[in-house]
Amino acid sequence: MLKNLPPLAPFRPRLLNDLKGYNSEKLAKDMGAGATVGIVALPLAMAFAIASGLKPEAGLWTAIIAGFIISALGGTSVQIGGPAGAFIVIVYGIVERYGVANLLISTASAGVLLFLLGLFRLGTLVRYVPVSVVIGFTNGIAVLIGLSQVRDLLGLDIAKMPADFFSQISTIAQHIASFNLYAFGLGAVCVAGLFVWPRLWAVDSQFRRQLDKIETVSALRATSRLPAPVVALISLSLLAWALSLPVETIGSRFGGIPQGAPAFALPDFSWETVKMLVTPTLTIALLGAIESLLCARVADQLGDAPKHDPNQELMAQGIANTVVPFFGGMPATGTIARTVTNIRSGAVSPVAGMVHALTLAAVVLLAAPLAAHIPLAVLAGVLMFVAWNMGEWREFGRLKQFSNHYRIMMVSTFLVTIVFDLTVAVELGLVLAVVFFVRRQSGIFRADAISRNSQQITFRLYGSLFFGAVAKIDPIVAEVEASPTPVNVMLDATQLISLDTTGLDALEQLHKAVHKRGGHLGMVGLNEQPKSLMERSGFAAQLHTFK
C-alpha cells in the first residue's frame, strides 16, 4: 500500500545549485545587495514587531535568524525572508487573545505544518487560491495595518489598542483629544518623504538633472543610494532628539533594545495548549505559505534566476518558523519589498539573503542603544507607507471589468478580513470560489435532443455530468415517464468530457425509468473517463446495444 504513495519531496536547498561556479564577482554583487537589504530591513523589522504588539527586538531577531535560514535552505535564489506586514493583524490578534507565550507555540506548530506541506509536495496547492481572494484579503490587511498605526501617528494617549476593527475605531474616537501635533508632524513628514525620496533621485527627475550640472556633488549624489526608510528614520530621529520633541520613542515605551543576542528558551509546550491553538496555527501556516510562494513568483518574474521550488521553499519556511520562537521571534515569510530591493541591488544567489541577515545582526549588536531615540510616530509613518504599497487599490476601480462572481469573492473577502479575520475571509472566499465554479460548470453541461420519433429519442450530451449538473437529466426522465408507449433512449456521449458518481447515479435512474416503460437505454461514443467509471461500476453491461 505504501508503494502507491507519491514520493516525498527531496530536501535540496537552492544554495547548493547556486554555489556551483560561484566566484568573486558574484560574491561582490551578493555582498552589496545583502548589505543594502539589511539596512532596509532594520526599520521595517522593528515597525512590524511593535505594530504586532511585541517588542522591537522580536522583529529584528526574526529578520536575522529566519532571514538567514530561509535564504540558506530555501527553494529560491533571491527571496528575502523575515517578518512581514501581512502578519501584523494576525499576530496582534493572537497576542491579545492568547498571549505572547502561546504565539510562540502557534508559530512553532505552524512551522511544522509548513514543513510537512513542502515534504508531501503540497506547495503547488497554494496556486489554487483564486487571485480575487488573494487581492481581497491583502487589501483588507492593508486597511487594518493602516488603522493600527493611527494611535502612534497621531500620538494618542492610548495604553493598549484592542484587536478588532470596530473597537479600534471606538478607542481612537474616545482618545482623539490627546492628539499630539509633534508626533503627527513627524509621521506626516515621514510618509511624504517616503513618497518623494525615490522620485527625487529618479534618472528623469528635474532635481537629478539640475544636480548633474554641478561637478562637486559626488557626496550628495551618493546619498541617493540610501533607502528611503533609513533616511527617514535617521533624519527624523535626529530632529526629534535635537529639538527634544515631546513624542513617544522606542526607549520611553520599551526601554530600548537589548545589545546582545537573544537567549534560547523553550516555550511551555503541552498537547492541550496545541489543541487550543489550532485556529491561530492554521492561520499563520496558511498566510505564511501564500505570502512566501506569491513572493517567490514575483521574484521569478523580476529576476533571471531559475524558477523557484515551492516545496523546498515551504520546508525552509517551516524550519525557520519552528526555530525562531525559541529565540522569542515572530512568524516569518517571504517579503516582497525586500526581495524586490535585493533583486534590483544585483543579488544573484541566496548568499545575498544570508549577508542581509548578518548585516542586520551587526547593526543590532553595535548600534542597539541608538534605537531608543527612534520616535514611534516615524515607525508608524513607515508602516502607513507599507500599507499603502501593500494594497492593490486599483483593483477596486477595475471591478466593473470582471464578472459578478469575481466581484463578490473579492469584495466579500476584503470586508470579512476587516470585520472578522483572515481565516474566516479565506474560508469564505474558497467556499464562494467552489460554489461559483460548480455553477459555471453546471451551466456548461447540456443534453440536446437531436432526433425524436415514436420509438426512439436520441440526445447528445455536452460537458461534464457531475453532481452540479444532474438536474439537467431530469427532463429526459420526465419525458420517458410521460410517454404512453415504450420508448428507447440513445445517448450520444462523444462530447461528454467527464462523469462523476452522482452523474452515474442520474444515468442509472434514467435507465430504470426507460426499462420500467419497456424500453432500452443505450450510449455511443463514450470517452475514456466516463467509459472507465461505467465499466468499473457494472453500469456499462446494463446498456442496450442498438443495431
Side-chain angles (χ1 to χ4, degrees):
M1 182 175 180
L2 293 177
K3 293 181 179 179
N4 296 326
L5 294 176
L8 301 178
F11 188 86
R12 184 174 178 80
R14 179 61 56 83
L15 179 65
L16 298 178
N17 294 336
D18 287 347
L19 286 180
K20 295 177 180 179
Y22 199 73
N23 53 38
S24 58
E25 181 181 353
K26 292 182 178 180
L27 177 61
K29 291 181 179 180
D30 284 336
M31 292 285 286
T36 301
V37 180
I39 296 172
V40 171
L42 179 66
L44 295 177
M46 289 190 293
F48 292 152
I50 293 172
S52 301
L54 304 172
K55 294 183 178 180
E57 57 264 30
L60 290 170
W61 285 105
T62 298
I64 294 168
I65 298 172
F68 189 91
I69 293 173
I70 290 171
S71 291
L73 303 180
T76 69
S77 296
V78 292
Q79 178 160 288
I80 301 295
F87 275 121
I88 290 175
V89 179
I90 305 301
V91 173
Y92 191 87
I94 295 174
V95 171
E96 283 291 293
R97 183 173 180 181
Y98 300 100
V100 175
N102 287 329
L103 168 67
L104 302 181
I105 296 175
S106 291
T107 303
S109 301
V112 174
L113 185 57
L114 283 168
F115 183 86
L116 293 176
L117 287 175
L119 183 65
F120 289 103
R121 297 178 179 271
L122 299 177
T124 54
L125 292 181
V126 175
R127 295 184 179 180
Y128 296 151
V129 179
V131 65
S132 55
V133 174
V134 174
I135 293 173
F137 78 67
T138 300
N139 287 359
I141 290 173
V143 170
L144 292 174
I145 291 174
L147 180 62
S148 70
Q149 297 310 298
V150 171
R151 173 183 67 163
D152 290 334
L153 185 69
L154 302 182
L156 302 182
D157 186 16
I158 301 174
K160 198 168 187 178
M161 285 287 287
D164 64 280
F165 178 73
F166 294 110
S167 296
Q168 286 184 354
I169 294 178
S170 176
T171 302
I172 291 171
Q174 293 172 10
H175 293 82
I176 196 66
S178 61
F179 172 73
N180 185 325
L181 181 61
Y182 298 102
F184 177 71
L186 288 174
V189 171
C190 177
V191 173
L194 293 175
F195 276 103
V196 171
W197 183 260
R199 293 166 177 78
L200 194 67
W201 291 102
V203 176
D204 58 346
S205 71
Q206 189 65 29
F207 174 78
R208 184 67 177 266
R209 291 173 182 173
Q210 295 298 323
L211 196 63
D212 289 339
K213 298 177 182 179
I214 305 173
E215 296 181 358
T216 58
V217 289
S218 57
L220 181 60
R221 193 178 288 115
T223 61
S224 65
R225 300 188 182 95
L226 291 175
V230 176
V231 175
L233 195 72
I234 295 174
S235 60
L236 295 177
S237 297
L238 287 173
L239 178 65
W241 173 76
L243 299 179
S244 299
L245 298 181
V247 295
E248 196 171 13
T249 64
I250 287 179
S252 64
R253 182 180 293 184
F254 302 102
I257 297 175
Q259 191 172 15
F264 179 87
L266 287 172
D268 186 16
F269 277 95
S270 71
W271 179 239
E272 292 300 321
T273 303
V274 172
K275 287 194 294 183
M276 178 184 71
L277 298 173
V278 169
T279 298
T281 295
L282 292 176
T283 302
I284 293 173
L286 175 64
L287 184 57
I290 292 174
E291 286 291 311
S292 62
L293 296 185
L294 284 178
C295 180
R297 291 176 67 181
V298 171
D300 289 345
Q301 295 168 4
L302 295 179
D304 298 326
K307 301 298 181 183
H308 72 280
D309 179 348
N311 297 313
Q312 181 62 41
E313 186 62 28
L314 286 184
M315 286 190 282
Q317 298 283 345
I319 294 172
N321 281 284
T322 304
V323 171
V324 161
F326 296 111
F327 296 93
M330 59 189 291
T333 186
T335 58
I336 293 179
R338 277 160 277 173
T339 298
V340 172
T341 301
N342 191 41
I343 295 172
R344 291 176 177 171
S345 299
V348 295
S349 80
V351 173
M354 298 161 68
V355 171
H356 132 268
L358 296 176
T359 300
L360 191 53
V363 172
V364 172
L365 295 175
L366 297 176
L370 299 177
H373 301 291
I374 298 175
L376 295 179
V378 175
L379 291 180
V382 171
L383 284 184
M384 283 288 189
F385 182 75
V386 169
W388 175 258
N389 284 331
M390 180 179 176
E392 297 185 47
W393 313 113
R394 294 178 181 175
E395 293 300 317
F396 287 114
R398 297 177 58 208
L399 281 177
K400 59 184 179 181
Q401 303 175 13
F402 298 102
S403 66
N404 287 331
H405 292 174
Y406 183 97
R407 298 172 193 168
I408 292 172
M409 285 194 292
M410 178 178 160
V411 174
S412 61
T413 305
F414 171 72
L415 294 176
V416 172
T417 299
I418 293 174
V419 177
F420 296 99
D421 62 48
L422 174 68
T423 307
V424 177
V426 174
E427 289 173 352
L428 175 64
L430 292 177
V431 168
L432 289 175
V434 171
V435 170
F436 291 148
F437 176 78
V438 170
R439 183 178 177 182
R440 284 195 300 269
Q441 291 300 111
S442 63
I444 294 174
F445 177 81
R446 69 180 194 272
D448 296 342
I450 57 176
S451 67
R452 180 183 278 109
N453 55 50
S454 59
Q455 295 182 337
Q456 180 174 310
I457 308 174
T458 302
F459 292 89
R460 179 169 293 152
L461 306 181
Y462 298 85
S464 299
L465 181 55
F466 70 116
F467 64 90
V470 292
K472 295 185 178 182
I473 298 296
D474 293 344
I476 304 177
V477 176
E479 183 174 346
V480 169
E481 292 177 340
S483 176
T485 60
V487 59
N488 296 324
V489 176
M490 171 66 74
L491 299 179
D492 181 349
T494 54
Q495 302 299 319
L496 182 65
I497 300 172
S498 63
L499 177 72
D500 73 353
T501 53
T502 306
L504 177 63
D505 180 72
L507 293 178
E508 290 175 342
Q509 297 305 316
L510 174 61
H511 177 262
K512 290 179 181 178
V514 172
H515 184 70
K516 186 176 180 180
R517 303 296 297 177
H520 300 287
L521 175 68
M523 296 186 74
V524 294
L526 280 169
N527 291 306
E528 183 177 352
Q529 190 275 331
K531 182 179 180 181
S532 174
L533 177 60
M534 292 170 63
E535 288 178 346
R536 284 183 282 116
S537 67
F539 180 65
Q542 302 176 35
L543 296 175
H544 183 76
T545 302
F546 291 99
K547 296 182 179 179

Short mmCIF file of all heavy atoms in Angstrom, two decimals, residues 110-160:
data_model
loop_
_atom_site.label_atom_id
_atom_site.label_comp_id
_atom_site.label_asym_id
_atom_site.label_seq_id
_atom_site.Cartn_x
_atom_site.Cartn_y
_atom_site.Cartn_z
N ALA A 110 2.98 26.03 13.46
CA ALA A 110 2.77 26.39 12.05
C ALA A 110 4.01 26.04 11.23
O ALA A 110 3.90 25.64 10.07
CB ALA A 110 2.46 27.87 11.93
N GLY A 111 5.19 26.20 11.84
CA GLY A 111 6.42 25.84 11.15
C GLY A 111 6.46 24.36 10.81
O GLY A 111 6.86 23.97 9.71
N VAL A 112 6.04 23.53 11.75
CA VAL A 112 5.99 22.08 11.49
C VAL A 112 5.01 21.78 10.36
O VAL A 112 5.29 20.98 9.46
CB VAL A 112 5.58 21.32 12.78
CG1 VAL A 112 5.37 19.84 12.48
CG2 VAL A 112 6.63 21.51 13.86
N LEU A 113 3.86 22.45 10.39
CA LEU A 113 2.86 22.24 9.34
C LEU A 113 3.38 22.68 7.98
O LEU A 113 3.17 21.98 6.96
CB LEU A 113 1.60 23.02 9.71
CG LEU A 113 0.38 22.83 8.79
CD1 LEU A 113 0.00 21.37 8.70
CD2 LEU A 113 -0.80 23.65 9.31
N LEU A 114 4.06 23.82 7.93
CA LEU A 114 4.64 24.29 6.66
C LEU A 114 5.66 23.29 6.12
O LEU A 114 5.71 23.03 4.91
CB LEU A 114 5.29 25.66 6.86
CG LEU A 114 4.35 26.87 6.95
CD1 LEU A 114 5.11 28.09 7.43
CD2 LEU A 114 3.71 27.13 5.60
N PHE A 115 6.49 22.76 7.00
CA PHE A 115 7.49 21.79 6.56
C PHE A 115 6.82 20.56 5.97
O PHE A 115 7.24 20.03 4.93
CB PHE A 115 8.39 21.39 7.73
CG PHE A 115 9.50 20.46 7.35
CD1 PHE A 115 10.70 20.95 6.85
CD2 PHE A 115 9.35 19.09 7.45
CE1 PHE A 115 11.73 20.09 6.48
CE2 PHE A 115 10.36 18.21 7.08
CZ PHE A 115 11.56 18.72 6.59
N LEU A 116 5.75 20.08 6.63
CA LEU A 116 5.05 18.90 6.13
C LEU A 116 4.37 19.18 4.79
O LEU A 116 4.33 18.31 3.91
CB LEU A 116 4.02 18.44 7.15
CG LEU A 116 4.59 17.89 8.47
CD1 LEU A 116 3.47 17.55 9.44
CD2 LEU A 116 5.47 16.66 8.22
N LEU A 117 3.84 20.38 4.62
CA LEU A 117 3.24 20.75 3.32
C LEU A 117 4.26 20.65 2.20
O LEU A 117 3.97 20.15 1.11
CB LEU A 117 2.68 22.18 3.39
CG LEU A 117 1.41 22.39 4.19
CD1 LEU A 117 1.07 23.88 4.25
CD2 LEU A 117 0.25 21.61 3.61
N GLY A 118 5.48 21.12 2.47
CA GLY A 118 6.53 21.02 1.47
C GLY A 118 7.00 19.60 1.26
O GLY A 118 7.21 19.15 0.13
N LEU A 119 7.16 18.86 2.37
CA LEU A 119 7.65 17.49 2.30
C LEU A 119 6.73 16.60 1.48
O LEU A 119 7.19 15.74 0.71
CB LEU A 119 7.82 16.93 3.72
CG LEU A 119 8.39 15.52 3.84
CD1 LEU A 119 9.83 15.48 3.34
CD2 LEU A 119 8.32 15.04 5.28
N PHE A 120 5.42 16.80 1.63
CA PHE A 120 4.45 15.99 0.90
C PHE A 120 4.03 16.60 -0.42
O PHE A 120 2.97 16.28 -0.96
CB PHE A 120 3.23 15.73 1.79
CG PHE A 120 3.50 14.78 2.93
CD1 PHE A 120 3.67 15.26 4.22
CD2 PHE A 120 3.62 13.43 2.70
CE1 PHE A 120 3.93 14.39 5.27
CE2 PHE A 120 3.89 12.55 3.74
CZ PHE A 120 4.05 13.03 5.03
N ARG A 121 4.85 17.51 -0.93
CA ARG A 121 4.68 18.10 -2.26
C ARG A 121 3.33 18.82 -2.42
O ARG A 121 2.69 18.74 -3.46
CB ARG A 121 4.79 17.01 -3.34
CG ARG A 121 6.15 16.33 -3.40
CD ARG A 121 6.17 15.23 -4.46
NE ARG A 121 7.45 14.58 -4.56
CZ ARG A 121 8.45 14.99 -5.36
NH1 ARG A 121 8.28 16.06 -6.12
NH2 ARG A 121 9.60 14.34 -5.41
N LEU A 122 2.92 19.55 -1.41
CA LEU A 122 1.66 20.27 -1.47
C LEU A 122 1.85 21.76 -1.72
O LEU A 122 0.90 22.54 -1.60
CB LEU A 122 0.87 20.06 -0.16
CG LEU A 122 0.51 18.60 0.16
CD1 LEU A 122 -0.20 18.52 1.50
CD2 LEU A 122 -0.36 18.01 -0.95
N GLY A 123 3.07 22.15 -2.07
CA GLY A 123 3.34 23.56 -2.31
C GLY A 123 2.53 24.14 -3.46
O GLY A 123 2.14 25.31 -3.43
N THR A 124 2.24 23.33 -4.46
CA THR A 124 1.51 23.82 -5.62
C THR A 124 0.04 24.09 -5.31
O THR A 124 -0.64 24.79 -6.06
CB THR A 124 1.58 22.81 -6.77
OG1 THR A 124 1.14 21.53 -6.30
CG2 THR A 124 3.01 22.67 -7.27
N LEU A 125 -0.47 23.57 -4.18
CA LEU A 125 -1.88 23.79 -3.84
C LEU A 125 -2.18 25.26 -3.58
O LEU A 125 -3.31 25.71 -3.76
CB LEU A 125 -2.26 22.96 -2.61
CG LEU A 125 -2.30 21.44 -2.78
CD1 LEU A 125 -2.71 20.78 -1.48
CD2 LEU A 125 -3.25 21.05 -3.90
N VAL A 126 -1.17 26.01 -3.15
CA VAL A 126 -1.37 27.43 -2.87
C VAL A 126 -1.80 28.16 -4.13
O VAL A 126 -2.53 29.16 -4.07
CB VAL A 126 -0.09 28.04 -2.27
CG1 VAL A 126 -0.22 29.54 -2.07
CG2 VAL A 126 0.23 27.37 -0.93
N ARG A 127 -1.37 27.65 -5.28
CA ARG A 127 -1.74 28.31 -6.54
C ARG A 127 -3.22 28.17 -6.86
O ARG A 127 -3.73 28.85 -7.74
CB ARG A 127 -0.91 27.72 -7.68
CG ARG A 127 0.59 28.01 -7.53
CD ARG A 127 1.36 27.50 -8.73
NE ARG A 127 2.78 27.79 -8.61
CZ ARG A 127 3.68 27.47 -9.52
NH1 ARG A 127 3.29 26.85 -10.63
NH2 ARG A 127 4.95 27.75 -9.34
N TYR A 128 -3.90 27.28 -6.14
CA TYR A 128 -5.32 27.10 -6.38
C TYR A 128 -6.17 28.16 -5.68
O TYR A 128 -7.39 28.19 -5.87
CB TYR A 128 -5.78 25.71 -5.93
CG TYR A 128 -5.15 24.58 -6.70
CD1 TYR A 128 -4.94 23.34 -6.12
CD2 TYR A 128 -4.76 24.76 -8.02
CE1 TYR A 128 -4.36 22.30 -6.83
CE2 TYR A 128 -4.19 23.72 -8.74
CZ TYR A 128 -3.98 22.50 -8.13
OH TYR A 128 -3.42 21.47 -8.85
N VAL A 129 -5.56 28.99 -4.83
CA VAL A 129 -6.31 30.08 -4.19
C VAL A 129 -6.58 31.14 -5.26
O VAL A 129 -5.65 31.67 -5.86
CB VAL A 129 -5.51 30.69 -3.02
CG1 VAL A 129 -6.30 31.84 -2.39
CG2 VAL A 129 -5.18 29.63 -1.98
N PRO A 130 -7.85 31.47 -5.53
CA PRO A 130 -8.16 32.43 -6.59
C PRO A 130 -7.52 33.80 -6.35
O PRO A 130 -7.40 34.24 -5.20
CB PRO A 130 -9.69 32.53 -6.53
CG PRO A 130 -10.13 31.27 -5.87
CD PRO A 130 -9.05 30.93 -4.90
N VAL A 131 -7.14 34.46 -7.42
CA VAL A 131 -6.48 35.76 -7.29
C VAL A 131 -7.41 36.78 -6.66
O VAL A 131 -6.97 37.68 -5.94
CB VAL A 131 -5.99 36.25 -8.68
CG1 VAL A 131 -7.16 36.51 -9.61
CG2 VAL A 131 -5.14 37.49 -8.55
N SER A 132 -8.71 36.66 -6.88
CA SER A 132 -9.67 37.60 -6.27
C SER A 132 -9.65 37.48 -4.75
O SER A 132 -9.77 38.49 -4.04
CB SER A 132 -11.07 37.33 -6.79
OG SER A 132 -11.45 35.98 -6.58
N VAL A 133 -9.48 36.27 -4.24
CA VAL A 133 -9.41 36.06 -2.79
C VAL A 133 -8.11 36.65 -2.24
O VAL A 133 -8.10 37.31 -1.19
CB VAL A 133 -9.51 34.56 -2.46
CG1 VAL A 133 -9.30 34.31 -0.96
CG2 VAL A 133 -10.86 34.01 -2.89
N VAL A 134 -7.00 36.43 -2.95
CA VAL A 134 -5.71 36.96 -2.51
C VAL A 134 -5.75 38.49 -2.46
O VAL A 134 -5.31 39.12 -1.48
CB VAL A 134 -4.58 36.47 -3.44
CG1 VAL A 134 -3.26 37.15 -3.07
CG2 VAL A 134 -4.43 34.96 -3.35
N ILE A 135 -6.28 39.12 -3.52
CA ILE A 135 -6.36 40.58 -3.55
C ILE A 135 -7.29 41.08 -2.45
O ILE A 135 -7.01 42.08 -1.79
CB ILE A 135 -6.86 41.06 -4.93
CG1 ILE A 135 -5.81 40.75 -6.00
CG2 ILE A 135 -7.16 42.55 -4.91
CD1 ILE A 135 -6.28 41.03 -7.41
N GLY A 136 -8.39 40.38 -2.22
CA GLY A 136 -9.34 40.80 -1.19
C GLY A 136 -8.73 40.82 0.19
O GLY A 136 -8.83 41.82 0.91
N PHE A 137 -8.07 39.72 0.59
CA PHE A 137 -7.52 39.72 1.95
C PHE A 137 -6.26 40.58 2.05
O PHE A 137 -5.98 41.14 3.11
CB PHE A 137 -7.31 38.29 2.48
CG PHE A 137 -6.10 37.56 1.99
CD1 PHE A 137 -4.82 37.94 2.33
CD2 PHE A 137 -6.24 36.41 1.23
CE1 PHE A 137 -3.71 37.24 1.90
CE2 PHE A 137 -5.14 35.69 0.80
CZ PHE A 137 -3.87 36.12 1.14
N THR A 138 -5.52 40.74 0.96
CA THR A 138 -4.35 41.61 1.00
C THR A 138 -4.77 43.06 1.23
O THR A 138 -4.20 43.77 2.07
CB THR A 138 -3.55 41.51 -0.31
OG1 THR A 138 -3.11 40.16 -0.48
CG2 THR A 138 -2.33 42.42 -0.27
N ASN A 139 -5.78 43.51 0.52
CA ASN A 139 -6.28 44.87 0.71
C ASN A 139 -6.90 45.04 2.10
O ASN A 139 -6.77 46.10 2.72
CB ASN A 139 -7.31 45.22 -0.36
CG ASN A 139 -6.67 45.47 -1.72
OD1 ASN A 139 -5.46 45.40 -1.86
ND2 ASN A 139 -7.47 45.77 -2.71
N GLY A 140 -7.58 44.01 2.58
CA GLY A 140 -8.15 44.08 3.92
C GLY A 140 -7.08 44.20 4.99
O GLY A 140 -7.21 45.01 5.93
N ILE A 141 -6.00 43.43 4.86
CA ILE A 141 -4.90 43.50 5.81
C ILE A 141 -4.25 44.88 5.75
O ILE A 141 -3.86 45.46 6.78
CB ILE A 141 -3.87 42.39 5.52
CG1 ILE A 141 -4.46 41.02 5.89
CG2 ILE A 141 -2.58 42.62 6.29
CD1 ILE A 141 -3.59 39.86 5.49
N ALA A 142 -4.11 45.44 4.55
CA ALA A 142 -3.52 46.77 4.41
C ALA A 142 -4.34 47.82 5.16
O ALA A 142 -3.78 48.70 5.83
CB ALA A 142 -3.41 47.13 2.93
N VAL A 143 -5.66 47.73 5.06
CA VAL A 143 -6.53 48.67 5.79
C VAL A 143 -6.33 48.52 7.29
O VAL A 143 -6.21 49.51 8.03
CB VAL A 143 -8.00 48.43 5.42
CG1 VAL A 143 -8.93 49.22 6.36
CG2 VAL A 143 -8.26 48.84 3.98
N LEU A 144 -6.26 47.29 7.77
CA LEU A 144 -6.09 47.06 9.20
C LEU A 144 -4.72 47.52 9.70
O LEU A 144 -4.60 48.02 10.82
CB LEU A 144 -6.29 45.57 9.50
CG LEU A 144 -7.73 45.05 9.31
CD1 LEU A 144 -7.79 43.55 9.50
CD2 LEU A 144 -8.68 45.74 10.27
N ILE A 145 -3.69 47.35 8.86
CA ILE A 145 -2.36 47.84 9.25
C ILE A 145 -2.40 49.36 9.39
O ILE A 145 -1.90 49.92 10.37
CB ILE A 145 -1.31 47.42 8.20
CG1 ILE A 145 -1.08 45.91 8.24
CG2 ILE A 145 0.02 48.14 8.46
CD1 ILE A 145 -0.17 45.41 7.15
N GLY A 146 -2.99 50.03 8.41
CA GLY A 146 -3.09 51.48 8.48
C GLY A 146 -3.85 51.94 9.71
O GLY A 146 -3.44 52.88 10.41
N LEU A 147 -4.97 51.28 10.00
CA LEU A 147 -5.77 51.65 11.18
C LEU A 147 -4.99 51.43 12.47
O LEU A 147 -5.06 52.24 13.40
CB LEU A 147 -7.06 50.83 11.20
CG LEU A 147 -8.01 51.11 12.37
CD1 LEU A 147 -8.50 52.56 12.33
CD2 LEU A 147 -9.19 50.14 12.34
N SER A 148 -4.21 50.35 12.53
CA SER A 148 -3.45 50.06 13.75
C SER A 148 -2.37 51.10 14.04
O SER A 148 -1.89 51.19 15.17
CB SER A 148 -2.82 48.66 13.65
OG SER A 148 -1.76 48.66 12.69
N GLN A 149 -1.99 51.88 13.03
CA GLN A 149 -0.92 52.86 13.22
C GLN A 149 -1.44 54.26 13.52
O GLN A 149 -0.66 55.18 13.77
CB GLN A 149 -0.04 52.91 11.96
CG GLN A 149 0.68 51.63 11.66
CD GLN A 149 1.42 51.10 12.87
OE1 GLN A 149 2.33 51.75 13.39
NE2 GLN A 149 1.03 49.91 13.34
N VAL A 150 -2.75 54.43 13.54
CA VAL A 150 -3.32 55.76 13.80
C VAL A 150 -2.94 56.25 15.19
O VAL A 150 -2.67 57.44 15.40
CB VAL A 150 -4.86 55.72 13.62
CG1 VAL A 150 -5.49 57.02 14.09
CG2 VAL A 150 -5.20 55.45 12.16
N ARG A 151 -2.92 55.35 16.18
CA ARG A 151 -2.57 55.75 17.54
C ARG A 151 -1.21 56.42 17.59
O ARG A 151 -1.06 57.54 18.12
CB ARG A 151 -2.57 54.54 18.49
CG ARG A 151 -2.05 54.87 19.89
CD ARG A 151 -1.97 53.68 20.79
NE ARG A 151 -0.97 52.70 20.37
CZ ARG A 151 -0.50 51.73 21.18
NH1 ARG A 151 -0.96 51.62 22.42
NH2 ARG A 151 0.39 50.89 20.73
N ASP A 152 -0.18 55.76 17.05
CA ASP A 152 1.17 56.33 17.12
C ASP A 152 1.35 57.48 16.15
O ASP A 152 2.11 58.41 16.42
CB ASP A 152 2.20 55.23 16.83
CG ASP A 152 2.29 54.21 17.96
OD1 ASP A 152 1.98 54.58 19.10
OD2 ASP A 152 2.65 53.05 17.68
N LEU A 153 0.66 57.44 15.01
CA LEU A 153 0.78 58.53 14.05
C LEU A 153 0.23 59.83 14.62
O LEU A 153 0.80 60.91 14.41
CB LEU A 153 0.05 58.17 12.75
CG LEU A 153 0.20 59.17 11.61
CD1 LEU A 153 1.63 59.18 11.08
CD2 LEU A 153 -0.78 58.85 10.49
N LEU A 154 -0.87 59.73 15.37
CA LEU A 154 -1.48 60.92 15.97
C LEU A 154 -0.96 61.19 17.38
O LEU A 154 -1.33 62.20 17.99
CB LEU A 154 -3.00 60.78 15.99
CG LEU A 154 -3.70 60.56 14.64
CD1 LEU A 154 -5.20 60.48 14.83
CD2 LEU A 154 -3.33 61.67 13.66
N GLY A 155 -0.14 60.29 17.89
CA GLY A 155 0.39 60.47 19.24
C GLY A 155 -0.67 60.37 20.32
O GLY A 155 -0.57 61.04 21.36
N LEU A 156 -1.69 59.54 20.13
CA LEU A 156 -2.79 59.44 21.08
C LEU A 156 -2.36 58.72 22.35
O LEU A 156 -1.55 57.79 22.31
CB LEU A 156 -3.98 58.71 20.44
CG LEU A 156 -4.54 59.32 19.15
CD1 LEU A 156 -5.74 58.52 18.66
CD2 LEU A 156 -4.93 60.79 19.36
N ASP A 157 -2.92 59.15 23.46
CA ASP A 157 -2.58 58.56 24.76
C ASP A 157 -3.49 57.36 25.02
O ASP A 157 -4.47 57.44 25.76
CB ASP A 157 -2.76 59.62 25.86
CG ASP A 157 -2.29 59.11 27.22
OD1 ASP A 157 -1.57 58.08 27.25
OD2 ASP A 157 -2.65 59.72 28.25
N ILE A 158 -3.16 56.26 24.36
CA ILE A 158 -3.92 55.00 24.49
C ILE A 158 -2.97 53.94 25.02
O ILE A 158 -1.95 53.64 24.40
CB ILE A 158 -4.52 54.56 23.15
CG1 ILE A 158 -5.44 55.65 22.59
CG2 ILE A 158 -5.27 53.24 23.30
CD1 ILE A 158 -5.97 55.36 21.20
N ALA A 159 -3.30 53.38 26.18
CA ALA A 159 -2.41 52.39 26.80
C ALA A 159 -2.30 51.13 25.95
O ALA A 159 -1.21 50.60 25.74
CB ALA A 159 -2.92 52.04 28.20
N LYS A 160 -3.44 50.65 25.44
CA LYS A 160 -3.42 49.42 24.65
C LYS A 160 -4.57 49.42 23.66
O LYS A 160 -5.72 49.69 24.03
CB LYS A 160 -3.53 48.19 25.57
CG LYS A 160 -3.09 46.90 24.91
CD LYS A 160 -2.96 45.81 25.95
CE LYS A 160 -2.35 44.56 25.32
NZ LYS A 160 -2.17 43.47 26.30
#
